[in-house]
Amino acid sequence: MEPTDLIWMNGSFVAWEDAKIHVLTHGLHYGTGVFDSMRCYETELGPAVFRNAEHIDRLVRSAELYYMPVPYSTEQLRAATLELVARNGLSSCYIRPIVNRGYGQMGLNPLDAPVDVTIACWEWGAYLGDECFSEGVRAKVSSWRRISPDSLIPHAKASGQYLNSVLAKIESLKAGYEEAILLDDHGYVCEGTGENVYAVRDGVIVTPGQANSILDGITRRSIFQLAGDLGYEIVERNIARAELYLADEVFMSGTAAEVVPVREIDDHVVGEGRPGEITRVLQKAFDDAVHGRSERYREWLDVVPAAAALETRDGAGASAPLGGAPQAARAAGADG
């Protein structure tokens, strides 16, 4: 990981090396945190965060599901994200906002622990390897099942829940694969460790639905719209494990991974063992959208303000960073 200059913490910009928490932070011990992820892309409009507002909205909704009132508005968090990218002088990057229960309360009742909010960003290339887009990846169906909605909340992007994905990821890597695919608690295909999964048969795209314990991916929503606009039929339904082996194409999507073909699953070659036609078309459509080459999807891009604009504003006597909140607002939200 290549450090940047600044990280946004609770309304202030701090140096990367100074962005620290106490060892007794509640979220560190019990996983009481939620996070999200965005990518900023270099476009002809300037650096732009892809579907920034939707990601921030999901972050806040995830926090609500775990009884963590976020002490900033979605607009403040959106603005803070844009300013952070600008202040770090990045033209493209990965962005990680996290909301967690902080220091001051121990034990399984977290409601009196403060709610802390942090946003970091850094340059991060292809999540599944430089050749994943052109060659595809090899995946393994994990022996670990996706968390059940009877136990936790799959629709929340919660920190502690990702131990489930960590186990599956390690298992797949140790077995010589690049990624894992998890089944839900009923044995149907669910998702990758950090990606939604799609199969193509006879020209129809099928993908697990909300009842399969998936995370409702923002990139997934984009794939739905892109596929529909391109005239492809996309169906949400239960998918049996063997259907992946028999598919003409399989691909994954996610913020970190973007749109990645799967060429092999459990040593079964998918289709012809290379990215299929529909996967290629969707890859290009997505790439055009995130880089601002498609006028139709420009609304998905949240353009980062120029550094000069920030300097002008600061010179005019701004009293707090863009996206900051009064200390009273944090205190009001810290009571749980």
Side-chain angles (χ1 to χ4, degrees):
M1 181 183 295
E2 187 68 29
T4 55
D5 293 332
L6 299 169
I7 290 177
W8 187 92
M9 296 187 75
N10 294 326
S12 299
F13 292 95
V14 301
W16 178 283
E17 61 272 17
D18 294 330
K20 300 174 182 177
I21 61 170
H22 197 280
V23 71
L24 294 180
T25 293
H26 196 278
L28 179 63
H29 290 258
Y30 301 109
T32 46
V34 298
F35 67 95
D36 219 286
S37 58
M38 298 88 89
R39 276 191 183 270
C40 176
Y41 292 89
E42 188 170 2
T43 77
E44 64 182 38
L45 305 173
V49 181
F50 183 65
R51 306 197 77 161
N52 190 18
E54 290 96 328
H55 283 284
I56 294 296
D57 183 64
R58 185 174 64 179
L59 174 75
V60 172
R61 290 178 182 273
S62 291
E64 289 174 350
L65 288 171
Y66 276 98
Y67 306 99
M68 286 187 289
V70 179
Y72 301 94
S73 70
T74 54
E75 180 54 35
Q76 286 175 315
L77 295 176
R78 171 187 164 272
T81 299
L82 296 176
E83 183 168 2
L84 178 67
V85 174
R87 286 179 179 269
N88 280 310
L90 298 171
S91 59
S92 63
C93 61
Y94 179 85
I95 304 163
R96 170 57 58 87
I98 183 168
V99 177
N100 66 278
R101 289 287 181 177
Y103 168 74
Q105 179 75 19
M106 195 54 68
L108 293 177
N109 176 6
L111 298 181
D112 289 331
V115 176
D116 292 328
V117 185
T118 302
I119 309 171
C121 64
W122 63 91
E123 293 182 341
W124 198 7
Y127 176 64
L128 293 176
D130 291 336
E131 297 182 351
C132 68
F133 302 117
S134 59
E135 303 296 326
V137 298
R138 297 175 66 246
K140 170 183 172 58
V141 175
S142 178
S143 64
W144 298 99
R145 294 289 178 94
R146 170 72 163 147
I147 54 173
S148 166
D150 294 330
S151 301
L152 290 168
I153 309 173
H155 286 76
K157 199 171 175 67
S159 304
Q161 293 177 179
Y162 272 77
L163 282 173
N164 181 220
S165 290
V166 167
L167 287 171
K169 185 71 171 184
I170 291 174
E171 179 185 51
S172 68
L173 293 176
K174 285 183 174 292
Y177 300 83
E178 287 87 42
E179 188 54 290
I181 295 174
L182 294 90
L183 306 180
D184 67 16
D185 56 329
H186 296 291
Y188 294 111
V189 174
C190 178
E191 61 184 23
T193 61
E195 309 89 10
N196 293 115
V197 178
Y198 314 78
V200 180
R201 293 198 73 180
D202 300 322
V204 177
I205 305 168
V206 295
T207 191
Q210 301 288 332
N212 293 114
S213 296
I214 66 167
L215 180 72
D216 183 17
I218 307 299
T219 306
R220 178 180 184 268
R221 298 180 198 172
S222 305
I223 293 296
F224 271 56
Q225 185 166 340
L226 291 168
D229 291 345
L230 289 164
Y232 295 118
E233 182 182 1
I234 187 162
V235 177
E236 294 177 279
R237 65 168 175 82
N238 291 335
I239 300 174
R241 174 178 180 169
E243 287 189 80
L244 297 180
Y245 309 151
L246 299 171
D248 301 319
E249 305 176 36
V250 174
F251 64 93
M252 296 177 161
S253 76
T255 295
E258 299 172 282
V259 182
V260 175
V262 181
R263 71 174 187 272
E264 191 176 302
I265 301 172
D266 292 344
D267 300 319
H268 294 283
V269 175
V270 176
E272 297 181 355
R274 59 177 183 267
E277 178 184 352
I278 292 177
T279 302
R280 288 287 195 198
V281 170
L282 288 172
Q283 274 186 310
K284 183 179 186 308
F286 181 78
D287 194 64
D288 286 344
V290 300
H291 288 98
R293 294 189 291 267
S294 296
E295 289 279 352
R296 187 172 191 172
Y297 306 110
R298 286 279 177 92
E299 65 181 10
W300 287 348
L301 301 177
D302 202 2
V303 179
V304 174
L310 296 178
E311 292 173 2
T312 300
R313 190 209 66 211
D314 291 346
S319 60
L322 185 64
Q327 187 64 29
R330 287 205 67 244
D335 294 334

